[in-house]
């Protein structure tokens, strides 16, 4: 358990070990819930990754529909697309 000191302004600084345990980095947000009995619950706020970050890319190629294509089918689709035989609305 970490013991913290309250400043004259009523502020508390969380120790580095507490922030690391919560996975909090500079600029992150923290939720504080007031519980009965004079207790609080502190939790890191989960924010979505910034657009363009590597974290936002993870899972973007997930195949939820379980669609599979052979290399030959992929090559044929590329050839047909370059030849103008299929449009962007076609779904083979």
């Amino acid at each position: 358990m970490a013991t913290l000191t309250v400043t004259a302004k009523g502020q508390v600084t969380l120790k580095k070990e507490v922030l690391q345990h919560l996975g909090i980095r500079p600029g992150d947000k923290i939720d504080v819930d007031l519980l009965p009995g004079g207790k609080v619950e502190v939790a890191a706020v989960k924010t979505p990754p910034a657009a363009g970050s590597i974290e936002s890319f993870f899972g973007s190629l997930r195949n939820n529909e379980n669609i599979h294509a052979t290399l030959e089918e992929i090559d044929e689709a590329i050839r047909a697309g370059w030849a103008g035989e299929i449009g962007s609305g076609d779904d083979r």
Side-chain angles (χ1 to χ4, degrees), residues 3-67:
T3 301
L4 309 173
T5 304
V6 179
T7 67
K9 292 182 178 183
Q11 299 174 340
V12 175
T13 301
L14 297 178
K15 296 183 183 286
K16 188 174 185 176
E17 66 188 71
V18 175
L19 296 174
Q20 288 175 340
H21 178 74
L22 294 171
I24 295 176
R25 299 186 312 207
D28 288 352
K29 305 279 185 198
I30 298 174
D31 273 339
V32 178
D33 290 324
L34 304 178
L35 303 175
K39 295 183 180 187
V40 297
E41 179 179 82
V42 179
V45 174
K46 300 297 181 197
T47 56
S53 69
I54 189 69
E55 290 86 1
S56 67
F57 178 73
F58 291 142
S60 65
L61 300 177
R62 187 171 293 123
N63 186 5
N64 293 331
E65 289 79 29
N66 202 24
I67 298 172

Side-chain angles (χ1 to χ4, degrees), residues 67 86-92:
I67 298 172
I86 59 173
S88 61
D90 293 339
D91 190 15
R92 291 189 191 190

